[in-house]
Amino acid sequence: MEQLEFLISFFTEHKFLLTLVVITLFMLIRRVLIKFIWGDSNFLSEEQRKWISRTKNGSFTMLLIVMFLVWRSEINEFALSLTAIAVAVVVASKEIILCFTGSIQRASSRSFQIGEWIEVGSLCGEVIEHNLMATKIQEIDLHHGTYNYTGKTVTFPNSLFFTTPVKNLNFMKRYVYHEFNITVKETANLYPLVPSLLARIDDHCEDFYEVATRYNHVIERHAGVDLPGADPHIHVTSSELGDPQVHVRLFCPTERATELEQLIREDFMTMYCERVLKQPPVTIAEDLLSDTDSSALHC
């Protein structure tokens, strides 16, 4: 009992040492918990990421509470001394305050959770961690239509939530509206090719069409809006230079979007060569032709 009273008295008089001990203890506990959650997994699941984020945020919050209790008297004295310069402190800590309030705004609006895909300005990625100050995402190549991870991890302050719209792209993790253009140089009537191209697209999408239709209805009910639907769509336009252009829109599995685009481009170019240019499509064997023979081919 006397030893306990001695320790309490000692740490009360040496608060810096007590602070160091508390921080070390919290860091060790957090590290052990995170290691336990991580386990032997090479890749973290969404549930593991959520628990790791909860552990980090919870330990940080508890540490703040304990530090406030330890330094409560000093904080009160310091707060009183700051009355005259409160405005200057607020201005100097503007970004920090915005980060805290941005975190509160994100939590209250439930704009996204860990594991969901979001787009903030020009940044696109899967949320892997968020705390009171910043949000961390695994970047996804969304603008080039590949929907693959780039391998880059992006961390941005929560203050962006007040100045930049946040788009929740979570439904795109499974199915996506994939759009692309096919442009040709020669002026030609491309409308006769549309029915045949649609038939080829239906063949490519036959194995997942029913699932895509059901998933499209689920998204419509969840969002409360009328989406374009799961059927492929084609319309003919022209580029800024006046070249004929075919615009294709698919509702397809995200991981197959690039593959389907390449198959559809191949089908279109084959039909374009055969029906418009009246030339047989180029094969791999023609790469072995002489320069004179190859120059006679137009596609």
Side-chain angles (χ1 to χ4, degrees):
M1 190 66 181
E2 294 180 357
Q3 293 179 350
L4 180 60
E5 292 179 354
F6 172 76
L7 287 176
I8 295 176
S9 176
F10 176 79
F11 282 118
T12 302
E13 295 177 359
H14 301 81
K15 291 187 177 181
F16 282 105
L17 182 59
L18 176 60
T19 300
L20 182 61
V21 172
V22 171
I23 293 175
T24 303
L25 183 61
F26 268 86
M27 293 296 292
L28 288 175
I29 295 175
R30 189 179 77 165
R31 186 170 183 178
V32 170
L33 290 176
I34 291 176
K35 188 174 182 180
F36 175 76
I37 296 171
W38 193 296
D40 298 328
S41 304
N42 292 326
F43 302 98
L44 292 176
S45 64
E46 290 186 13
E47 192 65 22
Q48 287 176 309
R49 289 176 178 172
K50 288 180 180 179
W51 277 108
I52 289 175
S53 179
R54 291 167 185 167
T55 301
K56 290 182 178 180
N57 293 336
S59 61
F60 180 72
T61 303
M62 289 297 298
L63 181 61
L64 287 180
I65 295 174
V66 172
M67 289 295 99
F68 176 78
L69 294 176
V70 171
W71 295 93
R72 180 173 54 185
S73 58
E74 288 77 3
I75 292 175
N76 290 335
E77 295 176 2
F78 181 71
L80 292 174
S81 64
L82 282 179
T83 303
I85 56 172
V87 176
V89 172
V90 170
V91 173
S93 58
K94 175 183 176 182
E95 287 298 325
I96 298 178
I97 295 174
L98 285 176
C99 288
F100 275 104
T101 52
S103 177
I104 296 174
Q105 187 270 343
R106 177 204 60 78
S108 61
S109 63
R110 297 181 180 180
S111 53
F112 61 85
Q113 297 178 354
I114 291 178
E116 294 184 341
W117 286 13
I118 63 171
E119 180 179 357
V120 183
S122 61
L123 302 175
C124 305
E126 179 178 337
V127 181
I128 59 177
E129 184 180 343
H130 58 73
N131 51 47
L132 294 176
M133 297 297 295
T135 298
K136 184 184 295 184
I137 64 174
Q138 193 71 38
E139 190 179 45
I140 297 172
D141 186 13
L142 188 65
H143 298 299
H144 294 91
T146 59
Y147 312 104
N148 295 324
Y149 293 103
T150 64
K152 301 177 182 178
T153 301
V154 182
T155 303
F156 56 87
N158 292 336
S159 58
L160 280 181
F161 298 149
F162 288 106
T163 58
T164 308
V166 179
K167 299 179 182 179
N168 192 312
L169 312 176
N170 192 46
F171 82 91
M172 293 177 60
K173 292 183 67 174
R174 291 187 58 192
Y175 281 80
V176 64
Y177 281 106
H178 184 63
E179 301 185 26
F180 59 93
N181 296 317
I182 306 175
T183 306
V184 295
K185 283 296 182 182
E186 290 80 2
T187 301
N189 182 12
L190 302 181
Y191 285 97
L193 303 180
V194 172
S196 299
L197 185 59
L198 277 173
R200 294 294 298 147
I201 295 176
D202 290 337
D203 293 339
H204 295 315
C205 302
E206 182 178 6
D207 59 326
F208 62 82
Y209 177 75
E210 293 184 2
V211 178
T213 302
R214 291 197 299 268
Y215 191 69
N216 187 267
H217 292 328
V218 170
I219 298 173
E220 286 182 333
R221 289 195 299 269
H222 179 74
V225 296
D226 185 17
L227 297 177
D231 295 322
H233 177 73
I234 296 177
H235 65 270
V236 179
T237 60
S238 59
S239 66
E240 296 179 356
L241 300 177
D243 297 323
Q245 192 174 66
V246 176
H247 181 81
V248 182
R249 185 188 67 218
L250 303 172
F251 188 71
C252 62
T254 304
E255 68 273 7
R256 294 184 56 185
T258 304
E259 172 194 354
L260 291 171
E261 177 181 342
Q262 294 303 311
L263 291 174
I264 294 169
R265 286 182 181 274
E266 180 183 1
D267 292 336
F268 175 81
M269 295 309 299
T270 300
M271 289 186 290
Y272 181 77
C273 290
E274 292 176 348
R275 301 185 187 182
V276 178
L277 300 182
K278 307 299 181 181
Q279 295 286 345
V282 174
T283 61
I284 298 177
E286 289 173 346
D287 293 337
L288 303 178
L289 295 176
S290 63
D291 295 339
T292 304
D293 295 333
S294 297
S295 62
L297 298 176
H298 294 85
C299 61

